[in-house]
């Protein structure tokens, strides 16, 4: 099988999230080369290699260029580094997989068997996004064979821009967060206790990246509204000034912590928070932590994020405005035992619908369908040299269905599960221009990208 050549704005060792969850599972079928954004370092350009997991190699470029990310100034240095590594390792068959369109020019000189765009965020709306981001995404959408989206709002935003957009919501490793299993891991339990054991209850917890999407003013409002509530924040600070973090006796900033102890930390919380701002930066987010909180058996209070309301309104308490958020926390903490048990049962049924194993399997089926169409096209050309190069109808593909069955056994009283959004049951296109066509030169042909600055 071809290698997955992944270009990512998220570093492998940053926060264990969608890219790591998917690629860790796809590595059982494909070798993965995970290419991070470059770091500035003195001396000649080089690639630092690491192998965090079996069949996954992380390539971290180090260059002397003072330009962040996959900046234009980096491209002439990065291209020979990456292409040279592929040549030395004898890697010729690749599927190019993008998390950031900014890396698109690095495909110049390569002939990938397929191009995948896993659109997990609307990066162009992020703080200090490169001005070329939207333009390069447009170019990526023109040559991609498959576009995955991390939730229904992104699907709606991209579906008219590409033929093969598949809504593939983020999922959860339910067994990792299951309370009984988490509390049986003594070493992780001890580490969590050292971090938060002295913090009194009730604890209101958050884990994840702390950036411009987190409503810091809302956190301060909650802390001031009820000083006995202890707010525990776990995660790295990114793209914002750490001095802007609100400081209160009842807000505890624990910093970034390993994925391995997040379940044990959450086990010690009374409820979990999703205090996101509601603006353009969060218009298309579909927080992975929603399912992780629910799998940990915790009640969740969230601001009105679109995808959270669309997918989880029946199991997550949604609040509007600072005072409404405080009221929602208070109502959750005051739940009766009967209401708490009902909520937990509903949450468990919801978690059962989503599995990273099933999500990765759906992604792999989509990739294999593209590769099969390419092989069919090549075989047709060999069998009939000189035949026309028009569009050839392809067989109806197996529908790519959202991961509605998790590795956990469903609860006995779990209701029948219907797809949450219509596009989750949409099949891949039944006919299209095949790989190598002039309209889609991304597969089996040299692609020379010349992306101008916006």
């Amino acid at each position: 099988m071809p290698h997955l050549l992944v270009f990512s704005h998220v570093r492998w060792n940053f926060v264990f999230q969608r890219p790591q969850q998917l690629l860790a599972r796809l590595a059982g079928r494909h070798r993965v080369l995970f290419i991070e954004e470059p770091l500035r370092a003195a001396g000649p350009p080089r690639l630092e290699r690491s192998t965090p997991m079996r069949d996954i190699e992380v390539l971290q470029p180090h260059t002397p260029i003072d330009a962040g990310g996959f900046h234009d100034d980096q491209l002439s240095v990065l291209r020979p580094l990456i292409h040279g590594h592929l040549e030395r390792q004898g890697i010729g068959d690749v599927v190019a997989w993008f998390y950031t369109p900014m890396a698109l020019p690095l495909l110049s000189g390569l002939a990938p068997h397929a191009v995948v765009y896993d659109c997990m965020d609307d990066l162009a709306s992020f703080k200090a996004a490169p001005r070329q981001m939207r333009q390069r995404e447009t170019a990526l959408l023109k040559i991609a064979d498959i576009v995955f989206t991390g939730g229904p709002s992104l699907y709606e935003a991209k579906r008219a821009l590409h033929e093969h957009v598949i809504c593939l919501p983020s999922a959860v490793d339910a067994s990792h967060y299951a309370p009984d299993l988490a509390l049986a891991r003594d070493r992780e339990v001890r580490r969590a206790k050292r971090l938060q054991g002295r913090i009194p209850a009730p604890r209101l917890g958050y884990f994840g990246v702390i950036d411009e999407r987190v409503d810091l003013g809302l956190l301060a409002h909650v802390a001031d509204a009820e000083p006995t509530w202890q707010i525990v924040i776990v995660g790295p600070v990114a793209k914002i000034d750490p001095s802007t973090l609100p400081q209160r006796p009842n807000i505890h900033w624990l910093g970034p912590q390993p994925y391995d102890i997040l379940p044990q930390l959450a086990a010690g919380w009374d409820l979990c928070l999703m205090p996101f701002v509601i603006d353009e930066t969060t218009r298309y987010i579909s927080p992975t932590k929603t399912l992780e909180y629910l799998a940990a058996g915790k009640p969740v209070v969230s601001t009105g994020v679109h995808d959270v309301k669309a997918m989880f309104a029946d199991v997550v308490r949604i609040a509007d405005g600072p005072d409404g958020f405080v009221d929602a926390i208070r109502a959750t903490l005051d739940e009766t035992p009967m209401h708490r048990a009902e909520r937990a049962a509903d949450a468990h049924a919801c978690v059962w619908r989503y599995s990273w194993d099933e999500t990765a399997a759906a992604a792999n089926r989509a990739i294999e369908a593209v590769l099969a169409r390419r092989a069919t096209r090549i075989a047709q050309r060999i069998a009939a040299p000189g035949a026309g190069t028009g569009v050839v109808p392809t067989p109806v593909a197996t529908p790519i269905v959202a991961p509605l069955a998790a590795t956990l056994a469903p609860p006995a009283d779990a209701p029948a599960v219907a797809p949450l959004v219509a596009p989750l049951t949409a099949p891949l296109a039944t006919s299209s221009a095949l790989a190598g066509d002039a309209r889609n030169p991304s597969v089996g042909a040299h692609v020379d990208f010349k992306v101008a600055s916006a």
Side-chain angles (χ1 to χ4, degrees):
M1 294 294 290
H3 284 63
L4 295 184
L5 185 64
V6 181
F7 298 93
S8 177
H9 62 292
V10 175
R11 298 197 183 281
W12 186 270
N13 289 328
F14 182 55
V15 172
F16 204 84
Q17 52 185 301
R18 180 185 178 96
Q20 293 88 339
Q21 295 281 12
L22 280 175
L23 296 171
R25 289 162 172 80
L26 290 172
R29 300 172 182 267
H30 308 265
R31 295 286 300 275
V32 175
L33 289 177
F34 187 87
I35 301 172
E36 298 184 349
E37 294 180 335
L39 292 173
R40 187 183 181 191
R46 60 187 175 86
L47 286 177
E48 183 175 295
R49 301 164 58 185
S50 61
T51 307
M53 306 180 74
R54 183 177 179 180
D55 291 331
I56 295 179
E57 182 177 45
V58 175
L59 303 180
Q60 187 179 82
H62 292 249
T63 79
I65 298 170
D66 187 16
F70 293 108
H71 190 277
D72 287 353
D73 293 347
Q74 298 276 8
L75 299 178
S76 62
V77 174
L78 294 178
R79 194 175 291 116
L81 280 178
I82 294 167
H83 291 204
H85 178 79
L86 296 177
E87 185 176 351
R88 287 190 299 273
Q89 298 299 315
I91 299 171
D93 296 341
V94 299
V95 169
W97 180 302
F98 288 89
Y99 280 105
T100 172
M102 291 303 294
L104 182 58
L106 294 174
L107 273 192
S108 176
L110 298 179
H113 291 319
V115 175
V116 177
Y117 177 27
D118 189 8
C119 183
M120 61 184 259
D121 284 305
D122 183 45
L123 295 179
S125 67
F126 279 24
K127 185 176 181 179
R131 68 183 186 280
Q132 304 102 319
M133 182 69 77
R134 192 69 74 188
Q135 180 188 16
R136 288 195 186 166
E137 183 182 59
T138 299
L140 176 55
L141 288 168
K142 287 181 179 178
I143 64 101
D145 297 282
I146 309 166
V147 177
F148 298 129
T149 66
S153 60
L154 273 173
Y155 174 85
E156 291 300 327
K158 306 301 180 187
R159 62 184 298 186
L161 304 178
H162 193 277
E163 288 182 308
H164 303 322
V165 180
I166 302 170
C167 187
L168 205 66
S170 292
V172 66
D173 182 350
S175 63
H176 181 69
Y177 286 94
D180 291 347
L181 296 177
L183 294 177
R185 303 178 190 127
D186 290 340
R187 184 178 65 174
E188 287 78 11
V189 168
R190 291 193 298 270
R191 292 172 67 187
K193 188 174 182 179
R194 285 196 296 270
L195 285 167
Q196 66 181 15
R198 295 183 180 180
I199 300 174
R203 298 177 188 147
L204 320 180
Y206 169 92
F207 57 65
V209 180
I210 300 130
D211 58 16
E212 74 269 25
R213 296 171 295 176
V214 174
D215 192 336
L216 299 179
L218 178 58
L219 288 176
H221 182 83
V222 171
D224 293 338
E226 184 51 73
T228 62
W229 293 347
Q230 305 299 314
I231 302 173
V232 180
I233 310 294
V234 175
V237 177
K239 298 184 292 181
I240 60 173
D241 185 349
S243 67
T244 63
L245 302 180
Q247 303 298 320
R248 302 288 192 279
N250 58 333
I251 300 182
H252 309 271
W253 302 95
L254 302 190
Q257 300 300 330
Y259 176 72
D260 288 349
I261 70 166
L262 295 183
Q264 290 74 29
L265 289 168
W269 299 344
D270 294 275
L271 63 80
C272 294
L273 303 174
M274 296 206 298
F276 293 110
V277 298
I278 303 301
D279 62 15
E280 283 302 305
T281 66
T282 59
R283 182 179 177 184
Y284 299 111
I285 67 170
S286 190
T288 304
K289 63 179 56 60
T290 312
L291 286 164
E292 293 172 334
Y293 288 163
L294 295 173
K298 298 299 173 181
V300 182
V301 175
S302 177
T303 53
V305 174
H306 177 276
D307 280 10
V308 176
K309 291 192 294 185
M311 300 172 68
F312 304 111
D314 55 339
V315 290
V316 170
R317 198 181 291 266
I318 309 294
D320 294 323
D323 291 336
F325 201 80
V326 170
D327 291 343
I329 293 171
R330 186 169 283 115
T332 303
L333 293 175
D334 290 341
E335 282 180 336
T336 66
M338 181 182 70
H339 286 156
R340 191 173 299 116
E342 290 175 350
R343 171 191 48 74
D346 290 342
H348 182 60
C350 179
V351 168
W352 169 68
R353 298 186 231 178
Y354 298 88
S355 158
W356 278 121
D357 290 342
E358 292 295 324
T359 303
N364 191 67
R365 288 196 297 272
I367 293 170
E368 289 183 343
V370 170
L371 297 178
R373 289 201 299 271
R374 176 180 185 270
T376 298
R377 179 60 175 233
I378 292 172
Q380 289 171 337
R381 286 178 174 171
I382 293 173
T389 57
V391 174
V392 178
T394 60
V396 176
T398 302
I400 301 298
V401 182
L404 301 179
T407 53
L408 291 181
D413 58 348
V417 178
L420 294 177
V421 288
L424 299 184
T425 55
L428 293 173
T430 57
S431 65
S432 65
L434 293 180
D437 286 347
R439 187 177 60 83
N440 181 10
S442 64
V443 179
H446 170 80
V447 185
D448 187 12
F449 296 99
K450 295 180 180 178
V451 182
S453 299

